[in-house]
Amino acid sequence: MSFVREEVRVLFVRWQEVLAALALVLIGLFVATRGGFFLVGVGGVLLALGSLWAWVAYRRLAFLAKGDAPGLVEIDEGEITYLAPYGGAQMELDGISRVLIDPARACWILESNETAPLSIPLEAKGAATLFDALCSLPGFSAQTALQARSAKARVLVWERTPLTRLH
């Protein structure tokens, strides 16, 4: 028997990383107000780290999957693996040429020159790790990805720019 309502528990689990970051901010404020140059510096560092962590956690919250869609996303050594009952596949992170979000189908679409496009539902288990991995691509805009979630049609989030030769 639980003393916490299920809706409240789910809400706290969803926001737990943001709440932990805000707790670090409060600890930083507490330490900084205890006096002395050393404690002000330590508190300032904790405050800065907590603020940065809270900002990243809040942005990641938009892509935190509930696991309602079929499939599982795993990322290991720069290789994205989507395990699904029908049509799972693998794709190298360095091999991705375009990233799209299709809000109508609620999925990521990863395109590569070497393989067929890979569609991964936004609500698949582990899809939040995909967002983190895609943020490491050069020029990837998390803000564009967040805005694409509410678009009406398919949105190009990122495209690899061809390398130019200097000679």
Side-chain angles (χ1 to χ4, degrees):
M1 179 175 157
S2 177
F3 292 104
V4 180
R5 289 181 22 203
E6 184 63 23
E7 301 87 28
V8 175
R9 188 191 65 76
V10 168
L11 182 70
F12 276 114
V13 167
R14 182 168 173 81
W15 285 82
Q16 71 183 356
E17 187 177 8
V18 176
L19 293 172
L22 292 177
L24 184 62
V25 168
L26 290 176
I27 291 170
L29 283 173
F30 177 78
V31 170
T33 58
R34 294 300 108 195
F37 288 117
F38 179 72
L39 291 179
V40 169
V42 171
V45 168
L46 290 175
L47 182 67
L49 288 175
S51 299
L52 181 63
W53 182 21
W55 179 66
V56 169
Y58 181 74
R59 290 180 71 160
R60 189 180 313 154
L61 194 63
F63 289 98
L64 189 62
K66 298 172 190 158
D68 294 342
L72 171 70
V73 179
E74 292 181 343
I75 299 175
D76 186 34
E77 300 287 331
E79 185 172 82
I80 300 166
T81 305
Y82 175 56
L83 306 169
Y86 307 103
Q90 291 180 335
M91 185 177 286
E92 290 287 329
L93 191 60
D94 294 335
I96 296 174
S97 59
R98 293 175 52 171
V99 176
L100 298 102
I101 291 182
D102 189 350
R105 292 178 34 212
C107 68
W108 292 97
I109 301 172
L110 308 177
E111 295 181 355
S112 173
N113 295 333
E114 293 88 27
T115 62
L118 176 59
S119 294
I120 301 174
L122 294 170
E123 294 297 323
K125 193 169 254 172
T129 59
L130 177 62
F131 176 69
D132 291 338
L134 292 175
C135 283
S136 70
L137 293 172
F140 184 86
S141 170
Q143 188 64 32
T144 305
L146 291 170
Q147 292 171 349
R149 295 273 317 238
S150 59
K152 301 288 183 215
R154 188 180 285 190
V155 176
L156 176 66
V157 176
W158 179 82
E159 186 170 22
R160 186 175 300 278
T161 55
L163 297 174
T164 56
R165 295 184 181 239
L166 298 175
H167 60 284

